[in-house]
Amino acid sequence: MRLLLHLTLLLTAAVMFVADAPSPHRLITQPIAIRTPTGPLAIGINSHLATRYPDAATMPIPAAIVADLGVQWVREDLHWHRIQPQPDVWDWVFTDAALYALSRQRVRILGVLGPSVGWATADPTDRPDLISFAPPDENAFVTYAGAVVQRYKHLIKHWQIWNEPDQASFWRPAPDPARYTRLLIKTAQAIRVIDPSATIVLGGINPFDTTFLRAIAEYGGWDAFDVIAIHPYVDPLNPEEGNLIAAADGVRAVAARYGMKPIWATEVGWASGPGDRDALGLTNATLQAAYLSRTYCALWYGGVSAVFWYMLKDDPHNPYGLFAYGSGRSDFSTPKPAATAMRKLADTLASCHPEQPTTTVPLLTGSQPVQWQRPNQPNGSLRVIEHGSVFRISYRFTTRMNDYVAFALSDPIPLPDDITAITVQLFGDGNGHRLRLWLRDSEGETFSLTAGIIGPPVRQTITTPLSRRPMQYELIAGNGNRRPDAPLALAAIVIDDEDDAWTGMGEVLIERIAAVRTNLTQPHSRRILSLNGDDGDE
């Protein structure tokens, strides 16, 4: 206890800066990188041995199973309530067993610090010795984190602070970026006092809404971490429908403003049946295995440098694992097809390329009698140049609510029946807003499709897949079956503020809009989408 008290005083003295108010924006430091692998892909999995495997004495068995999968990394939760169930009680049995067993298999470890223990929160409904997702007493959290890092600094060099702090399920009652940023800064500084060579990883955020990430930067937390962690779940859409290759675009746009950092996907996956994100069980075990290799490939080519599959073994009612739940948490007798896909992944990545051979069909050629109309919002103007095939959109967003500017075609342009995607070539303005397309279907319903994030003032191509699964779209207008029924037509181009609090002016030059057909006759090509919503590869 005397050692822990000394450590607590040392860490508290080291923490000199805590964010309490937003700090000014930095200038954009560099353009968004073109999507491309940044180097060899680190292959990881969420293993959960320290928190879910029930027998510390036999921990080498699941550790060997992990190593047999061919993964280089594991993500291990180091739950506070198990390590420090009472303020003066420390229990290292399971974490010692799991971490040493994994280290003996020469697997690198990403350690996750958190969440809360009941005795360290202000929530009167928390049981003192059990897990809690209420925000913790910050000094108590720093003491716990410091003790963990001190004990395992020779085994772990990468520390993730919390899990999904931008989700209400994991930061009750609602996400609080100011409070999380304070915790992030204090904990990161404490870790660096103990181990200056440590790498700090952000808590794992939804990359399709970067509001929380921007807030961390504005509250002064950008320099507190070294790696941006994202959790790009798109299930039950498949990896192509979910456009996983573009998953990091939004966070990369934020990083271009505040300072570029590596991007890791510390959770991503599909269940092999009904689960938290897919109540109907649209993905089976065969599709789960197919999606695994396509996911690692797409994220790698999207500029993500490490990917951790969620997870090693099924939960009883959430089959995201590579092994079925079977008779309990120690039963690894039933591997699923995804386990085989993981073992083959290194070889699969050696020949992977997510971009299929395609043919494009221009939708705006300059020869059509196109007329643009602006719906009832005052936020911008459109000017046609280059003989009608190129147009410039200027916008001004003045509120801290949802601002957008839309330009509708008086006669929507029909899309070819056999297209698999729409591609837009543009010059951005660095503000990182969303480009959306409004599509009208055969019933007269209008749907919004998010095409992607608008980047800096360089030529950029945004490609978004099409499917018939309604979860890919947002219904804007019309009364029908709420599904996008063929034939579809391009009805409007929209720029929507990515962060509702953003205000200012911008200008985007759109050079080309085209329909994309996948060339099925080319070598190694495969149709990955069907307009009926079915995968064409199984």
Side-chain angles (χ1 to χ4, degrees):
M1 287 302 297
R2 183 174 300 173
L3 175 61
L4 286 175
L5 178 61
H6 176 74
L7 178 62
T8 302
L9 293 174
L10 175 64
L11 299 182
T12 303
V15 177
M16 301 300 295
F17 172 73
V18 178
D20 290 310
S23 60
H25 284 289
R26 301 180 187 178
L27 296 176
I28 294 174
T29 57
Q30 53 188 301
I32 298 173
I34 299 172
R35 289 186 207 143
T36 186
T38 58
L41 180 67
I43 299 171
I45 193 168
N46 285 259
S47 47
H48 301 309
L49 299 190
T51 54
R52 301 187 188 183
Y53 188 75
D55 182 11
T58 61
M59 200 69 77
I61 295 174
I65 291 171
V66 169
D68 179 63
L69 293 170
V71 300
Q72 302 144 340
W73 285 80
V74 294
R75 181 173 181 251
E76 272 291 323
D77 296 318
L78 305 175
H79 281 170
W80 188 2
H81 77 286
R82 297 194 66 164
I83 292 172
Q84 194 185 9
Q86 300 174 33
D88 57 349
V89 174
W90 296 83
D91 182 351
W92 303 102
V93 172
F94 276 88
T95 48
D96 278 358
L99 299 183
Y100 279 99
L102 289 165
S103 294
R104 283 192 290 270
Q105 294 292 340
R106 300 184 183 278
V107 178
R108 301 180 73 180
I109 301 168
L110 170 62
V112 184
L113 297 168
S116 296
V117 60
W119 61 260
T121 78
D123 188 340
T125 67
D126 282 342
R127 269 193 52 176
D129 59 338
L130 294 185
I131 194 170
S132 170
F133 296 101
D137 175 274
E138 291 163 10
N139 291 331
F141 186 89
V142 168
T143 298
Y144 139 75
V148 172
V149 175
Q150 182 68 42
R151 188 175 186 90
Y152 298 120
K153 64 182 179 180
H154 61 298
L155 300 179
I156 302 177
K157 293 296 180 182
H158 294 74
W159 300 97
Q160 190 164 27
I161 300 175
W162 211 265
N163 174 67
E164 298 184 2
D166 61 334
Q167 302 298 314
S169 298
F170 296 102
W171 192 285
R172 297 195 328 249
D176 185 340
R179 190 164 183 177
Y180 173 72
T181 302
R182 289 200 307 268
L183 187 72
L184 172 69
I185 293 171
K186 285 186 175 183
T187 308
Q189 290 183 345
I191 291 171
R192 287 169 176 148
V193 168
I194 298 167
D195 183 5
S197 65
T199 296
I200 309 300
V201 181
L202 196 65
I205 62 167
N206 171 14
F208 307 112
D209 181 353
T210 61
T211 304
F212 195 89
L213 181 62
R214 292 172 185 269
I216 290 173
E218 291 171 1
Y219 282 106
W222 196 259
D223 293 331
F225 61 95
D226 306 300
V227 175
I228 304 171
I230 61 175
H231 291 178
Y233 288 103
V234 297
D235 55 323
L237 296 173
N238 67 37
E240 293 76 31
E241 290 173 314
N243 209 12
L244 270 184
I245 194 170
D249 285 4
V251 296
R252 195 176 292 113
V254 177
R257 179 173 294 273
Y258 294 102
M260 301 299 285
K261 298 176 185 287
I263 301 172
W264 291 11
T266 54
E267 283 187 26
V268 65
W270 277 258
S272 59
D276 284 352
R277 297 177 56 86
D278 180 7
L280 298 178
L282 299 178
T283 302
N284 59 31
T286 302
L287 287 173
Q288 181 194 40
Y291 294 172
L292 184 146
S293 57
R294 284 150 55 182
T295 292
Y296 280 81
C297 180
L299 289 171
W300 185 30
Y301 272 79
V304 175
S305 52
V307 178
F308 293 73
W309 185 262
Y310 189 84
M311 55 190 167
L312 175 64
K313 181 175 168 56
D314 286 354
D315 281 335
H317 305 292
N318 214 24
Y320 277 80
L322 306 188
F323 292 83
Y325 186 76
S327 62
R329 295 199 180 276
S330 61
D331 180 3
F332 285 86
S333 63
T334 311
K336 297 193 287 186
T340 300
M342 181 65 83
R343 291 190 188 97
K344 296 178 178 179
L345 183 58
D347 292 335
T348 303
L349 290 176
S351 59
C352 92
H353 196 297
E355 303 288 359
Q356 301 295 321
T358 58
T359 299
T360 59
V361 180
L363 297 177
L364 290 169
T365 63
S367 61
Q368 306 127 307
V370 172
Q371 292 185 343
W372 295 94
Q373 301 173 337
R374 189 174 66 189
N376 293 328
Q377 31 77 24
N379 294 328
S381 62
L382 180 146
R383 183 162 62 92
V384 178
I385 57 178
E386 297 292 331
H387 308 292
S389 61
V390 178
F391 49 96
R392 188 186 307 273
I393 295 177
S394 301
Y395 60 90
R396 181 196 298 267
F397 295 157
T398 59
T399 77
R400 293 189 175 273
M401 297 179 288
N402 182 32
D403 289 317
Y404 71 97
V405 59
F407 294 94
L409 291 154
S410 57
D411 295 308
I413 299 174
L415 304 181
D417 289 341
D418 59 348
I419 73 166
T420 56
I422 297 178
T423 185
V424 181
Q425 191 172 80
L426 54 81
F427 274 79
D429 56 11
N431 288 326
H433 298 311
R434 294 186 182 97
L435 177 71
R436 301 191 194 272
L437 306 175
W438 287 0
L439 305 179
R440 186 169 299 172
D441 77 348
S442 62
E443 292 192 337
E445 294 177 302
T446 300
F447 297 87
S448 177
L449 177 69
T450 299
I453 298 294
I454 299 171
V458 295
R459 181 173 281 108
Q460 175 187 8
T461 299
I462 294 176
T463 301
T464 183
L466 296 180
S467 79
R468 283 293 181 271
R469 303 200 202 201
M471 68 278 293
Q472 191 182 16
Y473 305 88
E474 178 187 356
L475 180 64
I476 297 296
N479 295 312
N481 63 6
R482 307 180 72 85
R483 297 179 62 88
D485 299 300
L488 299 176
L490 177 65
I493 308 294
V494 181
I495 296 176
D496 191 354
D497 55 354
E498 201 281 335
D499 178 4
D500 287 347
W502 190 93
T503 59
M505 301 172 61
E507 188 171 82
V508 175
L509 184 70
I510 295 183
E511 293 184 318
R512 187 170 185 265
I513 302 178
V516 178
R517 293 190 179 105
T518 300
N519 297 340
L520 302 181
T521 59
Q522 296 289 336
H524 307 298
S525 68
R526 57 204 262 188
R527 186 178 179 85
I528 54 177
L529 296 176
S530 162
L531 289 181
N532 293 321
D534 300 322
D535 283 38
D537 54 299
E538 305 301 333

